[in-house]
Amino acid sequence: MQAKKRFLLLWFIAFFVLVMCLLKTNRNSDDFLHLAYQIDDVEDLPSFMDDWQQNVEVGRPPAFKIYETRHQMLFHSSYRKTNKNCRMETCFDSSHCDKDFKVFVYPLSELENNGLINSIRSVLYQKMLDIIVESRYYTDEYTKACVFVVAIDTLDRDPLSPDYVRNIPMKIQRLRHWNGGRNHIIFNLYSGSWPDYNEDDLGFYTGDAILAKASMSVTNMRPGFDISFPLFHKKHPERGGEPGYVRSNTYPITKKYKLAFKGKRYVLGIGSETRNSIFHLHNGNDTIVVTTCKHGKNWKDAQDERCDVDNSLYEKYDYASLLKNSTFCLVPRGRRLGSYRFLEALQAGCIPVLLSNNWALPFDEVIDWNKAVIWADERLLFQVPEVIHSISDTKLFALRQQSQILWEQYFNTIEKIVFTTFEIIKERLPKLQSRDGVVWNTSPGALVSQHSYTEYFNFNMPFNYHLLGKKPSSNFTVVIFSQHNSINTALYRLIRNIVASKYLTQIIINLCADNGGKSGYQKIAGIQILISSGNGCSRFEPLPFIKTEAVLSLDDDVVLTTDEIDFAFHIWQSFPDRIVGFPARSHYWDNSKDSWLYTSKWTNEYSIILTGAAFYHQYYNTLYTRWLSPLLIKTVEQSHNCEDILMNFLVSHVTRRPPIKVSQRKHYKEQVSNGMPKSPWNDPDHFMQRQTCLNTFVALFGYMPLLQSSVRFDPILFKDPVSNFRKKYKQIELVTN
Amino acid sequence: MFIRLACCRLLRNRKLIYISIFISLLLSFVYVVVAPHVFKLIQKPPSKTQEVHQYVIPGDSPIISMDTHCTFYNCFNIYRCGHKFKGGFKVYVYPMARYLDTDGIPIGGKISKEYHTIISTIVESHYYTANPEEACVFVSSIDTLNQNRFRVKETSQALALLPYWNDGQNHLIFNMVPGTAPDYKTVVDLSIGKAMVAGVGFNSWTYRSSFDISIAIYSDLAILLSNNFTFKLRPIFITTVQTNLHNDFFMYLKSIEKQRSMIRVMERCSNGEHNKSIICHGNITYNYADIFSDSVFCLILPGPRLMDVALIESLAAGCIPIVAINHVVLPFFEVIDWKRAVILWSETELNTLLDTVSGIPLDRRKEMSDQGRWLYRKYLSSPKIITMTTLKILSQRLHPHSSDFYEDWNLRPYHESARNPLFLPYMSDSSGFTAIILSYNRIDSLFKLINMISKAPSLQKIIVVWNNQYKSPPHFSVWPKTDIPLKIVQTTANNLSNRFFPYREIETEAVLSLDDDILMLTIDEIEFGFQVWKEFPDHIVGYPSRTHVWNNKTNTWKYESEWKNEISMVLTGAAFYHKYWNYAYTYIMPSNIKQWVDDHMNCEDIAMNFLVSNTTNKAPIKVTPKKKFKCPQCINTEMLSADQGHMATRSSCINKFATVYGRMPLKAVEYRVDPVLYKDIFPKKLKRYNNVGEL
């Protein structure tokens, strides 16, 4: 018995030792691996900055400011396609860009004088030039210009194409301000030709000019100099533009197909490696990849045994419906790296899966494309299904939303594409740069975020408060727009009500009537009020005196109670990007008249808040004055009317949201009695004019940006059967319509 | 083994049995605990000579110069980096070795601390593999950090002799100090064929896009500056910090300094040429470390190399760097948006620098300084962090579909900031919604509710979540007959969270969540609520509202159901919201909140309000003045003073959730939303949503 016990014990011990031995050797082998990199006295090791004569080193000399004068290249020297060494610091003269970023377009007359009238521009290029000329960037004085745009169509540089313009080298040399291409932008959609589709081959020497070019490769671009340009159709709209297809943001994304592609298959030549193998991904089930070799005149010469099978399958699927019904869209390279389908997929909210190694995506200098596309590798084609299945539903949800944001912000019109190109160049100039990646990659984007270091605002933009964890300011400035020279009793009463608000910072009276351009403080109703005049009757002038983010814009004959003001301000703080105000108007489409109509009738919906009594972010003053197309401003100036409609257009265009109406109040002016002079608001001509404005604005914006809302904001206990005593905004209860 | 045999032999002698046990115990103890230490002691000296191999580099060993046309697509062998290894690609590190030339002289100095850290970081990371066959990227153990510390030709030869070198393909060479006097090349001068360089101070010509990685130089001083950072007044506006600037820069800056005192131009002290810890301005001597913390901006100009420690040290000390180095490639520029922390200037435009910089407002300066210090700590502060950032960038290149977004790399985690997952600015075009009714046993009222809501034109489907495990839902035949598809979900446990499960049957964007006793809603109210949700699709839009108030006496939050002027929650007994929130509630919300809800059988609606407010920083929206929702005969339980317990639980929920989130995310607002013509004296015929708001 005892022996057995002892024996057991011994065996146990032996076993224990054995196990420990095994464990030990295991650990040893582990140690052994790391031992190869082990050093015992790590602390005694020298630093990489030691043992080295640093103090005798002398810094580099400053770079030259004066650019070497480029000797004019002869046009036969097109063996060098571009000046590969160009960078902004060496090939771009920013001295004319200090204050403002202006673009000079070579006038047509100059070409005519040189006998170059025969160079016909494509419709597309003409559209681009027109857009620039009508924009705020344009200047007709070349001395003020920062950037030059040539009037010679350089979009299509494929000699086999009908739009190919000949003799460009000669034409370029005759440009008066060419200067080796310095500060010029060359727009290009296609370069090179069959068979090698050489990216650099534009058929002329572009020298120091910045290339805004489609289908560039990352490694071939001059970093920080060239701009990767999107490839878009000839019929791309100039303004307005189509919205993205995603109008209902469902979660999770459940589409019929996971991955889709319908397009050409290249049997041979550049790009064929990818295009000739993607059909392997097709499974007829959730992955539809159909190709055809039926393209070009002589397709039959090169057809292979797959062509017949391909073509029959190809006919079965419709491209547009694939776009709409697929979660991912394959975007393989064509002969060139870029393809139309990239933007098509983006618009459709079909997440692009890129098979185009080394392609510089459009505007990739500023856009974080990882937020909207999936990169696959041409070399790892067969990993594509695995890659796209690894994307989580939440990521997919984000990708699709971002695709829509990017499409609408930068790509859906020619105007946006051209302006984005300019903004990128502007961003590179030390004195004008200001917008970080957050602005570029979130809604509403950089095109509507105009500011720079030199005139850096002391406030936040109305967007992205939530993302940045900031809050809109807790007080406001009142700007009373007055057409009269005298201060009447109505104004006195109004000021008294305003002053009672505890959120008020300052009252400014923006005097339209010219009283000799005198500005200064004046004491009205017991408060110092700043009278600002000489602004040429521009209601939305970004006055430097406005120090708060919120502006309460008022007409001088408005009737408003303190409670209404405070309550509206409270709502504005929750929606700082919108116009929040009292009197609402609406617009609708009249089929019989084939035009937009404006109405001040009581309706169940509204789309305009009159700025005679409304809160908005002061940044919109800046946008209104400095960003809106000059043609729009001109319309307002000529009619002495409609500035409030234009402001509503602007804000709805930027935010893609309707304004907000507060409480019941509809009449916000003193009721006109018979003896009083006629208010312009009751004038039918005035009304007709507003109708005309509405339609002019739509034409100039290219679409109708106004959005309808059918909600109104009231205080929580508004008209509730509780004692008025318990209500915070008592005065609002008493306002009747 | 030998111990066991010994024991067996001893066994024969019974008297010695205890001794044997004791000895065997002792022996095993010795073997397990003491022996390894002894072993180590014995092994150590030989390990140095035996394991560290020594190689002699033949003088004529071939090298291939660096291929300047390399890109990720033509020089990198992607086939080595398949998907089979979860967590990305694998890195092999060559074992340590000594390399001598034919004369027996080492090719470089002793391995530096920093390079040793880089190597051990890789070895300890999940990227490491000991098997070179499965490696995607190779890192040599030859220290190439500082070109002044090794011989270029011999080191290139040594690298070329590495067993898996293959013209340098897939090899990563770390370098922090490239170039030597007098020309100071901007990239390490090694002849490394197709190897990638993780280097510092590239210019835009030597950096091979998509191939090289621009990393940061490590600085000892920066750690000190970062640790000793305090908020204090910075009396100097702009200072220079480098002493090795070209004389032309000095002269030029001095001339600016003479005109305007806003800039301070530092110089090497004439008396302390070799003392790096002091720096002079005129005849005042400063401690070098101090000049970073007394100035708002630090002007960084090109030194001998394009990038030196000055940038890193400025960032660490919160001195906003003005980088005026033409063509420089900034550290990790692929992922870091330097504009948020640094002013990028041109070295030829220094004359206009002061005017522009002085226009930058104070809060922007603070923001940049904070961002700079954060970037320093997050990506640049130690060789280990620099290495991990480099590997992460490499990993993103190899698997771009799993890249982090701009915001992940560049936004400081800040508890007040909210990344709204519903960020598309749109007004929903949804044609309808799905009603989800949570039910337990009130069949009468459930059927009434179904009959009532099925008249809503925008309703597309009804899902009844049957939360009763003891009683099956009524037979199919007795359910109300409606044209709307009706789906009954039998749950497996009576959890309130079941109502927020993202059922696949929900095909619409919007969900109308309902309790089975909400009988007083009208069709107009439902339709109007849906309209409001379409205009505000990222908010919860609901009818009954509640608020939270701070109790000063107990220092806790209190749940409030009285009619107040504020609301901060809407009850999900009747509320519209985006289906995404169901997913977020089930899979993203902190699990202890969900656990709490299920344990207490309460507060699922509060949890949902917390979740949405915390994610979006936005308040819910209350529609219509309606206050009573349940059947007219029933009494609102929350109004009953008898049900104090219920209120106490709800209050404790609020306090618990606020603790979990580390803040009070609920936002109180003073507005509700009504139809545009609500209460207006206006013909009913022309008014939409007439039947809204009878209490």
Side-chain angles (χ1 to χ4, degrees):
Chain A
M1 202 46 188
Q2 249 193 354
K4 213 176 176 184
K5 260 189 190 171
R6 281 174 207 137
F7 209 71
L8 215 70
L9 192 75
L10 261 172
W11 273 110
F12 174 74
I13 291 165
F15 181 71
F16 172 75
V17 169
L18 203 74
V19 167
M20 288 311 282
C21 290
L22 282 171
L23 278 177
K24 204 61 209 161
T25 46
N26 256 347
R27 245 193 23 235
N28 261 340
S29 72
D30 217 35
D31 275 355
F32 173 75
L33 271 181
H34 287 220
L35 218 62
Y37 316 105
Q38 215 71 61
I39 285 188
D40 330 301
D41 36 10
V42 177
E43 285 311 306
D44 297 342
L45 288 180
S47 163
F48 76 110
M49 295 291 269
D50 294 344
D51 323 323
W52 156 44
Q53 289 278 308
Q54 258 190 89
N55 53 345
V56 293
E57 294 192 335
V58 179
R60 297 160 179 263
F64 294 108
K65 183 170 164 97
I66 298 119
Y67 307 97
E68 53 201 282
T69 41
R70 313 253 167 208
H71 66 93
Q72 293 278 306
M73 282 297 212
L74 297 171
F75 52 86
H76 61 257
S77 65
S78 61
Y79 61 93
R80 277 174 71 200
K81 307 297 180 196
T82 55
N83 182 355
K84 275 284 164 205
N85 279 331
C86 268
R87 298 293 184 270
M88 284 307 271
E89 296 96 328
T90 55
C91 289
F92 192 88
D93 179 3
S94 63
S95 58
H96 294 291
C97 314
D98 278 6
K99 286 186 191 72
D100 216 350
F101 185 88
K102 288 291 179 196
V103 179
F104 176 80
V105 179
Y106 282 93
L108 200 61
S109 58
E110 191 155 338
L111 287 174
E112 281 169 325
N113 293 343
N114 287 320
L116 292 165
I117 190 68
N118 56 345
S119 64
I120 302 153
R121 280 174 297 274
S122 63
V123 182
L124 187 55
Y125 198 63
Q126 189 57 51
K127 277 188 198 169
M128 288 171 69
L129 294 182
D130 291 346
I131 285 167
I132 301 170
V133 171
E134 284 164 22
S135 76
R136 283 194 174 261
Y137 298 101
Y138 178 67
T139 177
D140 53 3
E141 290 173 66
Y142 72 91
T143 46
K144 287 187 182 158
C146 174
V147 169
F148 296 77
V149 174
V150 294
I152 306 160
D153 183 358
T154 51
L155 286 182
D156 193 340
R157 299 307 298 153
D158 185 341
L160 300 176
S161 156
D163 284 335
Y164 181 77
V165 177
R166 281 164 215 291
N167 290 333
I168 282 204
M170 185 187 72
K171 288 169 188 165
I172 290 277
Q173 292 310 317
R174 294 204 194 157
L175 293 176
R176 198 174 294 164
H177 317 293
W178 177 249
N179 190 19
R182 176 155 305 141
N183 288 31
H184 282 63
I185 305 183
I186 302 284
F187 290 100
N188 177 261
L189 296 179
Y190 316 95
S191 63
S193 185
W194 175 264
D196 63 339
Y197 292 93
N198 185 350
E199 216 183 301
D200 287 338
D201 186 7
L202 269 73
F204 66 101
Y205 179 64
T206 57
D208 292 359
I210 294 177
L211 288 179
K213 182 175 166 327
S215 302
M216 273 203 266
S217 62
V218 174
T219 39
N220 212 11
M221 279 171 80
R222 292 169 287 182
F225 192 75
D226 290 331
I227 294 170
S228 50
F229 203 62
L231 186 61
F232 52 90
H233 285 286
K234 288 200 172 71
K235 285 181 186 148
H236 211 62
E238 291 156 272
R239 294 193 181 83
E242 283 179 53
Y245 294 165
V246 178
R247 305 318 300 162
S248 171
N249 195 14
T250 46
Y251 182 92
I253 297 166
T254 46
K255 296 230 182 143
K256 195 171 169 194
Y257 307 119
K258 191 85 182 166
L259 179 70
F261 173 81
K262 179 178 178 174
K264 293 177 194 169
R265 179 163 67 89
Y266 302 137
V267 181
L268 43 90
I270 189 165
S272 63
E273 258 174 77
T274 301
R275 285 275 179 133
N276 209 358
S277 47
I278 47 175
F279 68 82
H280 289 294
L281 296 175
H282 180 80
N283 64 11
N285 194 10
D286 67 345
T287 306
I288 306 299
V289 179
V290 288
T291 53
T292 179
C293 41
K294 215 168 167 176
H295 51 86
K297 278 174 242 156
N298 311 319
W299 70 275
K300 285 212 161 132
D301 302 346
Q303 69 173 326
D304 56 14
E305 63 278 11
R306 252 199 79 83
C307 281
D308 291 336
V309 191
D310 264 6
N311 291 342
S312 66
L313 204 59
Y314 185 80
E315 300 302 330
K316 273 204 215 156
Y317 295 93
D318 173 50
Y319 179 63
S321 86
L322 282 180
L323 270 185
K324 277 186 184 146
N325 295 316
S326 182
T327 309
F328 294 97
C329 282
L330 205 57
V331 181
R333 61 167 298 166
R335 296 295 191 194
R336 304 182 179 86
L337 290 173
S339 56
Y340 292 120
R341 72 181 68 242
F342 178 67
L343 284 191
E344 286 160 0
L346 198 71
Q347 174 180 21
C350 180
I351 294 150
V353 176
L354 299 164
L355 275 176
S356 185
N357 284 1
N358 214 359
W359 180 26
L361 290 182
F363 306 136
D364 64 348
E365 187 174 335
V366 287
I367 294 176
D368 178 13
W369 280 107
N370 279 334
K371 287 175 78 175
V373 305
I374 297 294
W375 273 104
D377 196 312
E378 286 179 70
R379 293 169 290 180
L380 305 172
L381 177 71
F382 295 104
Q383 284 185 8
V384 169
E386 192 193 333
V387 166
I388 61 174
H389 280 282
S390 74
I391 311 291
S392 69
D393 279 350
T394 35
K395 177 155 180 181
L396 213 53
F397 192 50
L399 291 171
R400 191 179 61 173
Q401 292 182 67
Q402 187 70 9
S403 74
Q404 301 297 291
I405 287 182
L406 293 176
W407 164 255
E408 287 177 21
Q409 265 168 211
Y410 304 116
F411 297 107
N412 71 352
T413 65
I414 302 175
E415 186 182 70
K416 285 177 189 170
I417 292 172
V418 172
F419 287 5
T420 307
T421 312
F422 292 152
E423 288 300 320
I424 290 175
I425 298 176
K426 203 169 137 186
E427 196 80 35
R428 293 171 182 167
L429 303 171
K431 275 164 243 169
L432 299 175
Q433 61 178 347
S434 59
R435 291 162 296 200
D436 58 25
V438 174
V439 175
W440 278 98
N441 291 293
T442 57
S443 175
L447 291 186
V448 293
S449 305
Q450 300 284 327
H451 56 258
S452 66
Y453 279 134
T454 36
E455 45 163 12
Y456 202 90
F457 303 134
N458 243 320
F459 55 79
N460 300 305
M461 304 285 279
F463 331 108
N464 283 326
Y465 280 106
H466 301 294
L467 177 67
L468 302 172
K470 290 180 177 165
K471 283 194 185 100
S473 64
S474 54
N475 37 35
F476 61 84
T477 305
V478 174
V479 179
I480 302 173
F481 186 67
S482 175
Q483 310 243 22
H484 307 100
N485 219 344
S486 59
I487 285 154
N488 50 28
T489 46
L491 184 59
Y492 266 111
R493 206 178 313 145
L494 175 64
I495 289 175
R496 262 208 315 277
N497 284 344
I498 299 169
V499 170
S501 167
K502 53 180 183 288
Y503 308 110
L504 175 75
T505 303
Q506 194 188 10
I507 301 178
I508 298 169
I509 296 185
N510 188 355
L511 213 53
C512 181
D514 191 19
N515 66 345
K518 268 184 278 174
S519 297
Y521 282 94
Q522 200 176 328
K523 199 163 185 161
I524 302 168
I527 182 175
Q528 293 284 353
I529 287 174
L530 185 67
I531 313 274
S532 164
S533 73
N535 299 313
C537 270
S538 47
R539 167 160 219 153
F540 301 118
E541 179 74 21
L543 300 170
F545 324 111
I546 304 174
K547 304 284 188 216
T548 59
E549 286 160 18
V551 172
L552 170 57
S553 165
L554 295 173
D555 285 345
D556 58 356
D557 51 354
V558 161
V559 182
L560 275 183
T561 61
T562 314
D563 275 359
E564 282 171 300
I565 293 172
D566 283 353
F567 181 60
F569 180 59
H570 171 76
I571 294 167
W572 178 85
Q573 286 180 300
S574 287
F575 304 96
D577 55 341
R578 308 202 197 187
I579 301 179
V580 176
F582 298 90
R585 299 289 182 263
S586 193
H587 76 284
Y588 60 95
W589 175 255
D590 188 325
N591 259 331
S592 59
K593 290 186 182 138
D594 201 28
S595 69
W596 293 99
L597 295 188
Y598 172 84
T599 176
S600 59
K601 293 203 183 88
W602 293 11
T603 50
N604 285 296
E605 280 154 344
Y606 62 89
S607 51
I608 297 167
I609 293 289
L610 299 186
T611 51
F615 280 97
Y616 61 83
H617 197 288
Q618 72 140 300
Y619 173 66
Y620 290 125
N621 276 343
T622 313
L623 267 190
Y624 183 97
T625 317
R626 309 231 180 109
W627 178 80
L628 278 177
S629 152
L631 296 171
L632 288 164
I633 304 284
K634 209 189 262 173
T635 311
V636 169
E637 278 172 358
Q638 281 169 356
S639 61
H640 290 287
N641 195 346
C642 309
E643 79 284 0
D644 49 353
I645 300 181
L646 182 53
M647 187 54 131
N648 276 275
F649 265 70
L650 169 68
V651 177
S652 287
H653 171 73
V654 168
T655 60
R656 301 312 296 129
R657 297 191 198 277
I660 288 177
K661 159 146 185 65
V662 178
S663 81
Q664 243 180 319
R665 185 184 287 278
K666 307 232 171 7
H667 300 293
Y668 68 112
K669 310 236 169 180
E670 300 254 17
Q671 296 293 325
V672 187
S673 55
N674 287 340
M676 296 281 278
K678 223 173 162 191
S679 157
W681 301 93
N682 301 334
D683 182 358
D685 284 348
H686 183 82
F687 194 79
M688 279 310 295
Q689 212 171 25
R690 289 171 80 78
Q691 200 108 286
T692 316
C693 286
L694 197 72
N695 286 294
T696 313
F697 295 160
V698 171
L700 289 172
F701 270 89
Y703 78 118
M704 167 49 90
L706 294 180
L707 295 164
Q708 298 275 9
S709 171
S710 36
V711 306
R712 164 186 119 196
F713 282 61
D714 287 324
I716 297 272
L717 298 178
F718 178 67
K719 298 269 156 105
D720 274 359
V722 291
S723 139
N724 249 10
F725 187 67
R726 282 177 56 183
K727 295 183 182 176
K728 185 171 174 190
Y729 300 106
K730 301 177 192 69
Q731 291 169 345
I732 296 182
E733 304 282 323
L734 306 172
V735 177
T736 53
N737 50 36
Chain B
M1 284 304 280
F2 117 87
I3 298 172
R4 220 179 79 196
L5 288 175
C7 291
C8 295
R9 231 175 286 129
L10 284 168
L11 242 170
R12 289 185 195 124
N13 195 336
R14 287 188 144 204
K15 283 175 191 174
L16 286 174
I17 203 92
Y18 292 104
I19 304 168
S20 75
I21 293 169
F22 175 75
I23 290 175
S24 59
L25 268 172
L26 194 78
L27 271 172
S28 61
F29 172 79
V30 165
Y31 191 78
V32 173
V33 182
V34 184
H37 287 270
V38 179
F39 224 68
K40 239 185 189 171
L41 279 176
I42 303 165
Q43 270 203 345
K44 222 166 215 177
S47 81
K48 263 196 172 167
T49 48
Q50 282 172 15
E51 288 194 13
V52 174
H53 283 284
Q54 189 159 305
Y55 298 100
V56 177
I57 315 287
D60 56 351
S61 179
I63 47 174
I64 305 169
S65 60
M66 195 190 289
D67 184 346
T68 52
H69 296 290
C70 265
T71 72
F72 177 66
Y73 303 100
N74 61 14
C75 289
F76 190 85
N77 181 1
I78 189 106
Y79 302 108
R80 293 199 68 102
C81 317
H83 271 267
K84 46 192 170 191
F85 310 109
K86 278 263 177 225
F89 66 108
K90 290 289 169 195
V91 184
Y92 173 74
V93 182
Y94 289 98
M96 298 273 220
R98 273 158 60 84
Y99 297 88
L100 310 175
D101 66 7
T102 39
D103 300 330
I105 302 162
I107 58 165
K110 205 173 175 192
I111 184 170
S112 64
K113 218 177 352 195
E114 289 79 10
Y115 198 69
H116 181 253
T117 317
I118 289 174
I119 284 178
S120 31
T121 304
I122 299 173
V123 170
E124 282 155 23
S125 74
H126 63 276
Y127 297 110
Y128 176 69
T129 175
N131 176 7
E133 294 306 324
E134 66 170 34
C136 162
V137 170
F138 298 83
V139 173
S140 93
S141 54
I142 304 171
D143 181 355
T144 48
L145 281 187
N146 185 343
Q147 199 182 319
N148 299 277
R149 294 184 75 247
F150 57 81
R151 284 186 285 155
V152 172
K153 183 176 162 237
E154 285 77 1
T155 308
S156 304
Q157 287 172 325
L159 287 168
L161 285 173
L162 291 173
Y164 309 97
W165 181 250
N166 190 17
D167 283 357
Q169 210 170 52
N170 291 28
H171 281 66
L172 185 62
I173 305 292
F174 281 90
N175 174 260
M176 289 185 178
V177 181
T180 48
D183 55 348
Y184 302 108
K185 290 208 173 128
T186 53
V187 65
V188 66
D189 222 355
L190 293 166
S191 303
I192 46 174
K194 292 177 174 171
M196 300 172 282
V197 178
V200 169
F202 289 107
N203 67 23
S204 59
W205 292 286
T206 48
Y207 175 78
R208 296 169 290 178
S209 345
S210 82
F211 194 66
D212 290 330
I213 300 179
S214 177
I215 64 167
I217 189 167
Y218 165 74
S219 157
D220 272 331
L221 176 65
I223 292 199
L224 228 72
L225 290 169
S226 177
N227 291 343
N228 295 344
F229 176 85
T230 47
F231 287 102
K232 61 176 184 199
L233 193 72
R234 293 171 180 257
I236 309 293
F237 192 64
I238 301 181
T239 186
T240 66
V241 293
Q242 295 144 298
T243 52
N244 52 2
L245 296 179
H246 192 271
N247 204 34
D248 290 358
F249 274 122
F250 267 124
M251 302 313 284
Y252 186 70
L253 291 171
K254 281 271 181 205
S255 72
I256 297 182
E257 189 184 16
K258 248 181 221 158
Q259 293 158 24
R260 308 174 68 168
S261 55
M262 288 160 83
I263 186 165
R264 179 182 68 187
V265 184
M266 308 301 291
E267 282 170 297
R268 187 173 287 147
C269 296
S270 47
N271 51 355
E273 283 259 308
H274 298 286
N275 191 347
K276 279 199 285 182
S277 65
I278 55 166
I279 191 164
C280 288
H281 178 243
N283 38 24
I284 312 167
T285 307
Y286 289 85
N287 199 340
Y288 180 68
D290 292 343
I291 60 165
F292 290 99
S293 17
D294 69 359
S295 182
V296 183
F297 294 98
C298 287
L299 180 59
I300 315 287
L301 292 162
R305 293 165 193 82
L306 284 186
M307 184 57 64
D308 54 30
V309 287
L311 171 70
I312 310 299
E313 285 157 7
S314 312
L315 286 167
C319 181
I320 305 164
I322 301 168
V323 178
I325 308 171
N326 287 3
H327 318 300
V328 72
V329 177
L330 289 169
F332 305 128
F333 79 103
E334 273 170 270
V335 291
I336 296 180
D337 184 3
W338 283 105
K339 250 183 199 174
R340 297 174 66 82
V342 163
I343 292 170
L344 303 171
W345 207 256
S346 162
E347 62 186 63
T348 53
E349 306 277 333
L350 292 176
N351 53 335
T352 51
L353 176 70
L354 288 184
D355 293 325
T356 308
V357 171
S358 55
I360 300 174
L362 285 178
D363 52 350
R364 167 92 175 166
R365 287 182 203 165
K366 182 173 182 309
E367 168 62 32
M368 292 183 91
S369 164
D370 289 352
Q371 178 75 5
R373 288 190 300 124
W374 178 75
L375 285 177
Y376 168 74
R377 280 197 310 276
K378 185 96 198 279
Y379 303 116
L380 322 166
S381 52
S382 72
K384 181 176 180 175
I385 288 171
I386 294 170
T387 311
M388 288 312 280
T389 313
T390 311
L391 293 178
K392 192 168 174 193
I393 290 176
L394 205 52
S395 162
Q396 288 204 357
R397 282 195 192 159
L398 292 165
H399 309 296
H401 60 274
S402 50
S403 300
D404 277 356
F405 292 166
Y406 174 92
E407 286 85 349
D408 303 306
W409 284 100
N410 290 293
L411 292 192
R412 306 202 291 288
Y414 174 50
H415 67 278
E416 287 297 329
S417 74
R419 283 172 66 180
N420 190 348
L422 297 157
F423 55 87
L424 184 67
Y426 77 121
M427 290 169 57
S428 175
D429 266 3
S430 297
S431 51
F433 61 87
T434 307
I436 301 186
I437 307 170
L438 182 70
S439 190
Y440 191 76
N441 57 7
R442 285 181 290 211
I443 292 165
D444 269 5
S445 114
L446 172 67
F447 284 5
K448 264 189 213 161
L449 177 64
I450 292 175
N451 271 323
M452 189 273 289
I453 59 165
S454 58
K455 295 188 189 81
S458 303
L459 180 70
Q460 297 209 327
K461 192 186 273 181
I462 300 173
I463 296 174
V464 175
V465 178
W466 190 258
N467 228 357
N468 194 335
Q469 279 74 48
Y470 304 104
K471 198 169 132 189
S472 306
H475 187 262
F476 182 71
S477 57
V478 299
W479 287 81
K481 300 280 172 289
T482 65
D483 297 338
I484 312 275
L486 179 73
K487 162 98 190 169
I488 296 120
V489 179
Q490 168 73 62
T491 61
T492 49
N494 182 18
N495 287 336
L496 285 173
S497 299
N498 288 337
R499 76 182 314 169
F500 296 137
F501 188 81
Y503 298 104
R504 242 189 329 155
E505 288 79 7
I506 312 173
E507 286 162 320
T508 56
E509 232 186 316
V511 170
L512 169 61
S513 167
L514 287 167
D515 284 345
D516 57 2
D517 56 351
I518 302 285
L519 291 178
M520 286 177 70
L521 279 181
T522 64
I523 296 301
D524 270 358
E525 281 167 339
I526 291 176
E527 286 293 316
F528 178 64
F530 181 53
Q531 173 63 30
V532 174
W533 177 84
K534 288 207 282 186
E535 291 189 27
F536 300 91
D538 53 344
H539 293 248
I540 310 185
V541 172
Y543 304 87
S545 65
R546 298 289 182 266
T547 189
H548 67 292
V549 286
W550 179 251
N551 186 336
N552 259 332
K553 278 182 217 146
T554 55
N555 269 340
T556 52
W557 295 103
K558 184 171 166 287
Y559 178 76
E560 183 63 75
S561 65
E562 291 287 312
W563 294 11
K564 290 270 178 180
N565 284 298
E566 288 187 339
I567 64 123
S568 60
M569 290 172 269
V570 292
L571 301 186
T572 51
F576 285 96
Y577 57 83
H578 194 283
K579 186 194 169 184
Y580 172 81
W581 298 117
N582 271 356
Y583 169 84
Y585 184 98
T586 313
Y587 298 112
I588 300 175
M589 189 173 71
S591 56
N592 42 353
I593 291 188
K594 204 171 163 223
Q595 195 58 50
W596 173 282
V597 167
D598 291 340
D599 289 350
H600 290 73
M601 281 298 279
N602 202 339
C603 303
E604 88 285 7
D605 46 359
I606 298 180
M608 187 55 124
N609 276 279
F610 264 78
L611 172 69
V612 177
S613 286
N614 188 58
T615 323
T616 64
N617 266 356
K618 291 178 183 175
I621 292 178
K622 169 171 170 55
V623 277
T624 78
K626 187 150 252 181
K627 305 280 183 301
K628 281 186 190 149
F629 298 90
K630 309 203 171 178
C631 52
Q633 299 81 12
C634 321
I635 318 152
N636 188 351
T637 46
E638 293 198 344
M639 289 299 185
L640 267 182
S641 56
D643 219 345
Q644 280 297 327
H646 177 70
M647 302 298 285
T649 318
R650 308 272 288 174
S651 290
S652 67
C653 289
I654 293 186
N655 286 300
K656 166 74 182 172
F657 300 164
T659 323
V660 174
Y661 285 115
R663 66 162 180 159
M664 168 46 79
L666 296 181
K667 302 264 176 294
V669 292
E670 297 170 348
Y671 51 77
R672 67 160 201 252
V673 157
D674 292 325
V676 175
L677 298 176
Y678 175 70
K679 290 272 181 191
D680 281 350
I681 304 153
F682 196 65
K684 275 207 164 183
K685 258 196 284 179
L686 299 173
K687 240 186 195 183
R688 215 180 296 157
Y689 312 118
N690 275 302
N691 207 354
V692 159
E694 301 311 316
L695 287 181

